[in-house]
Amino acid sequence: MTDLLGDLTRTHHCCQLRDTDIDKEVVLMGWVQHRRDHGGVIFIDLRDKEGITQIVFNPEHSKTVHEKAQEIRNEYVLGVKGKVIARPGDMLNPNMKTGAVEVMIDELYIFSKAKTPAFQIEDRVETSEVLRLQYRYLDLRRPQLKNNILARHKATMAIRNYLNNKGFVDIETPFLTKSTPEGARDYLVPSRVNQGEFYALPQSPQLFKQLLMISGFDKYYQIVKCFRDEDLRADRQPEFTQIDMELSFVDEQQIMDVAEGMIVAVFKKVLNIDLVTPFPRITYDEAMSRFGLDRPDLRFGLELCEVSDIVKDAGFKVFANVVKNGGLVKAVNAKGCATFTRKQIDELTDFTAVYKAKGLAWIKIKEDSWQSPIAKFFTDEEKEALRKRLDLEPGDIVFFVADQPKITNEALGQLRNELARRLELISEDTYKFTWVTRFPLLDYDETENRYQALHHPFTAPLEEDIKKLDSDPLSIKSRAYDLVLNGIEIGGGSIRIHDTELQAKVLNCLGIDETEANEKFGFLLKALSSGAPPHGGIAFGLDRLMMLLCREDSIRNVIAFPKTQKATCLLTDAPSKASTAQLRELAIKVTKIDE
Amino acid sequence: MTDLLGDLTRTHHCCQLRDTDIDKEVVLMGWVQHRRDHGGVIFIDLRDKEGITQIVFNPEHSKTVHEKAQEIRNEYVLGVKGKVIARPGDMLNPNMKTGAVEVMIDELYIFSKAKTPAFQIEDRVETSEVLRLQYRYLDLRRPQLKNNILARHKATMAIRNYLNNKGFVDIETPFLTKSTPEGARDYLVPSRVNQGEFYALPQSPQLFKQLLMISGFDKYYQIVKCFRDEDLRADRQPEFTQIDMELSFVDEQQIMDVAEGMIVAVFKKVLNIDLVTPFPRITYDEAMSRFGLDRPDLRFGLELCEVSDIVKDAGFKVFANVVKNGGLVKAVNAKGCATFTRKQIDELTDFTAVYKAKGLAWIKIKEDSWQSPIAKFFTDEEKEALRKRLDLEPGDIVFFVADQPKITNEALGQLRNELARRLELISEDTYKFTWVTRFPLLDYDETENRYQALHHPFTAPLEEDIKKLDSDPLSIKSRAYDLVLNGIEIGGGSIRIHDTELQAKVLNCLGIDETEANEKFGFLLKALSSGAPPHGGIAFGLDRLMMLLCREDSIRNVIAFPKTQKATCLLTDAPSKASTAQLRELAIKVTKIDE
């Protein structure tokens, strides 16, 4: 077969040669990382996926090859044949795996030339993210990004092996599917064959995996793209990858066991870390009480403490009134931080204001007095009670937020995280997991004036709470659970409703009447009435998990071809205009006025 | 944790119990396959994913449990606890793995009731495909479909393990991407953030996998959904799954080797068949000459034979004129089939007419004469030449098609397959692979009056043919290859162009000028000029491969949730209308007039 490579077969990767290979004839292929001319000799660092080897073009060894090598520039792609030789003693590089040897080249093929790259292919090079995304193929040559992508492969392979061994079946669910009301906005796909109608890209395979349980597949998993047309944040992408699973005839315990085992396998494979299981678990109520957030970061203390009962009659009317109106007064004691300056305190006040706290009260505990704008409002008894409850000691500073429960918890919970960052309480290589369980089934949407599902409408309520569906829906706890790592939710799931009547009742409670229910997911209700096993599952965000494993700040750094926060691809320039002919076939028209 | 299953943990699947388990206390969970009442005792076949076990409710053993069991109907979901006992001698069922035992039930949980299913959960039950698709979750309970889905999981796991061991990296490519001209029609996704613009769902990750090679990933694979908005045939779906791979620094040989190894691994894992490699390979020209099709079925002979040279001056003007006008006269000898009736021959004539053949000439070879409407037109010399060339013996019937080369080959190639079916020459459990290589690079689109790429515009021409790009493009062979199994193409790929200039030249030959090229895939051209390794790859259609492995006629039977030929999902009723609010946000309007 005709072929440029016909005569040349790669014998080694660029990470492999050692002094034990000296005198071997080898063929290497790769990119020019760096070229140096020294005393008429050309030295090139040749790079491939695995590493770097120094190759040498010496005119005394081969004049023709050396001449040809003159034209080589950075990022050229070469194939070379030569003999492994020892480096001279003063050229040994102990920082390089292949630093004991070099290859004296006899044959050179320049497979491809390269223009000067838009930025240097090195981790330490600083360049704008815009440029990096435009030239993503160059950026992916940098070791950091390359290693993230390789780690992602390792992780998914570890997940697949683990789940396969546990009897899970990988089953593909459809991408062109039906718009379902799962909270976020759907991406729509106009149908040509059925003009005027639209598919929706899945936000998750939720309903299909439940159908698979009803079919009897027992244990399902899939590593699958999902889509949400939401405004994007640093850790959101319009398309994201979910590790999705569902099991029949199980309860929460069995699902958590299998999920923990999977996480253990991933950490072992990617980081060679042995995690200890079972992971701790706390209820949603406890998480809110102690940490103010449903995704507590357990790498440090600084727990929140409610003091509503102590301050409910205090002379400080702000606190007293909040308690009177059903609010919460909570505090966090930053031990030993009484040295915070006014400026620091102002910054923290601004910080909590982002979370809608109307103010941040504080008290510095001195040896013999409390220094604070509000200290004077408390009686000695109240002070003593606060001292005991909050373990106040000289040198501490304690912060208070008083507001409606949601705001108090969110603001003080975020303040707790911010304090930990500022006080450097977080050790970077610690991985603290916790399960959060028993979430509320519903919350109340003030703008739409109706209940909505906190997880999704298919989540089972706690057995003993079902009776409260009519009387007190907001007090119902669900059988949902999240897995939280270092304060970030990496997965969540629930035991599902497997009873048609209960499902109809919950939908009804969400303001979805029978007609709407049948239209939107009549097929699920029908399926539930065809013999549904008790079942439940969980889904993990692979992008976020990889971000944490790779210690990156953005999920864009663990995705080969990510989109910007404006949902565009700077590399391919997607999205882009469609042709009139395309739109005509789809029977749609763009209604945008401009251009 | 509150839980229905709290007291009950499954100890066995319904395929596991044997006489060695007698006296054990077990917990089983599953669906009621069948219920029989016999002498006041209730016998139930309990089914789960793995198999069936007979469970027994005997009033003499437990009156309460027996009473509760009265209400059990087919497809109810049960959890049961009981003791394994031996079946009475006359009840032994050697056809069932668990046929030596039954379980006497002490505890019964009815997890879920079931309405009478729309059809029986048995393979032998005949029902319309429409009903089966509407109740897909019931259909997936049938052993045949269930086993197909399980085989698919086994196959993909075998593929992943094989490729992982070979150093391939699984890398996800985007789904919301840019419309690219790869032949078929794109599915479009309107963008909300960038109103008036559209993403396209990928027809294949072709350009991204080439970019990954340019990034240096060396070996990429992905099992990935792709999308084509084409009118559907029996073996086409709007979304389909591709086993996609790409390698750097390789030639055709290395790609074929790795692909063969993968296919071997799949056949071993799924069917426990040891395939022999290397698979035979023939060039496109040879395939067309001998079999008339570029996807030859090698399970039988019946090869085509060109006779243009023999009949070019024949008295039979139809043949002579075809040859004069650059056409082809080819024949196939159906050995021993001179017994074909007039009706059978008429059917075959109609069959070839579908492939645009204007007629089907035939000659029956008798002991002492040729019986045929056209025999009289041949001289003795011509007859003798035909006899020799076609190995004509008494008892044979030979069919001729004379037409333009495309039609002659297609019609006679299809006739060859049809004859094999009618003559039952095909043994069902034979798997005959062949590589077809050296496809033409281009063909000529008569309607659009321009050349088009036979494979895709990134396929490399044979090195020695590049010089013909200007002078004789249609004679250029490409470095493309298909893998054909039993007459069906299951995979195809090529060595790609890795040189910017050659790529621009080929695009130009396809009538894509520089402006258009830059707009449509400027990013690829730019990437090629940043240092591109020689690379190539292949993609397999997983659905089609599984169809062949599972001996199904339709890919719908190897897909969990397939669509109809009208691209609808009968289960979820997708596609469906979008709300006005959704369309307003996307700035699009449906232009369809009716309803």
Side-chain angles (χ1 to χ4, degrees), chain B residues 260-280:
Chain B
E260 286 179 0
M262 184 187 89
I263 294 290
V264 166
V266 169
F267 272 72
K268 184 68 189 172
K269 183 76 187 174
V270 177
L271 298 179
N272 199 26
I273 286 178
D274 294 293
L275 297 177
V276 177
T277 56
F279 299 150

Side-chain angles (χ1 to χ4, degrees), chain A residues 1-5 10 29 31 49 75 77 111-115 135 137 140-141 152-153 157 160-161 164 168-179 185 188-190 192 194-199 208 211 213-218 225 227 229 231 239 241 249-252 463-464 479 498 523 526-527 529-534 560-561 563 566-568 571-572 574-578 582-583 585 587-592, chain B residues 1-5 10 29 31 49 75 77 111-115 135 137 140-141 152-153 157 160-161 164 168-179 185 188-190 192 194-199 208 211 213-218 225 227 229-231 239 241 249-252 463-464 479 498 523 526-527 529-534 560-561 563 566-568 571-572 574-578 582-583 585 587-592:
Chain A
M1 213 156 268
T2 312
D3 178 33
L4 182 66
L5 295 170
R10 176 164 57 179
M29 298 185 182
W31 283 255
K49 183 187 140 219
E75 301 305 318
V77 184
F111 290 136
S112 178
K113 299 181 180 187
K115 295 189 177 156
Y135 294 90
Y137 47 90
L140 286 168
R141 288 182 189 169
R152 189 173 173 126
H153 164 67
M157 203 62 210
R160 293 183 188 283
N161 280 327
N164 183 57
F168 282 77
V169 184
D170 180 5
I171 304 177
E172 294 174 67
T173 52
F175 279 75
L176 296 173
T177 177
K178 187 180 164 121
S179 194
R185 205 184 280 111
L188 296 185
V189 183
R192 179 183 57 87
N194 307 280
Q195 290 189 342
E197 301 193 330
F198 295 81
Y199 303 99
F208 288 104
L211 291 177
M213 293 304 102
I214 294 169
S215 290
F217 279 100
D218 213 83
K225 276 280 175 74
F227 304 84
D229 187 8
D231 297 316
E239 50 180 302
T241 305
F249 304 115
V250 294
D251 61 16
E252 290 87 337
E463 196 72 15
E464 65 260 34
R479 298 178 69 183
H498 73 277
F523 61 97
K526 245 190 199 169
S529 71
S530 77
F561 300 102
K563 294 198 171 51
K566 286 202 179 302
T568 60
L571 170 68
T572 60
S576 57
K577 295 267 181 299
Q582 281 177 305
L583 298 184
E585 278 193 306
I588 60 170
K589 218 167 105 178
V590 171
T591 61
K592 203 183 165 196
Chain B
M1 214 155 266
T2 312
D3 178 31
L4 183 66
L5 295 171
R10 177 164 55 180
M29 298 183 183
W31 283 255
K49 183 188 139 217
E75 300 305 317
V77 184
F111 290 136
S112 178
K113 300 182 180 189
K115 294 190 177 156
Y135 293 90
Y137 47 90
L140 286 169
R141 289 183 188 169
R152 188 172 173 127
H153 163 69
M157 203 62 210
R160 292 182 188 284
N161 280 328
N164 183 58
F168 283 77
V169 184
D170 180 5
I171 304 178
E172 294 174 67
T173 52
F175 278 76
L176 296 173
T177 178
K178 187 179 165 123
S179 193
R185 204 184 281 111
L188 297 185
V189 183
R192 178 183 56 86
N194 307 280
Q195 291 188 341
E197 301 194 331
F198 296 80
Y199 304 98
F208 289 104
L211 291 177
M213 293 305 102
I214 294 169
S215 291
F217 280 99
D218 212 84
K225 275 280 174 75
F227 304 84
D229 187 9
E230 291 299 311
D231 298 316
E239 47 180 304
T241 305
F249 303 114
V250 294
D251 62 15
E252 290 87 338
E463 197 73 16
E464 65 261 34
R479 297 178 69 183
H498 72 277
F523 63 98
K526 245 189 198 170
S529 72
S530 76
F561 300 102
K563 293 197 172 51
K566 286 201 179 302
T568 60
L571 170 67
T572 60
S576 56
K577 295 268 181 299
Q582 282 178 305
L583 297 184
E585 279 193 304
I588 60 171
K589 218 166 101 178
V590 171
T591 60
K592 202 184 165 195

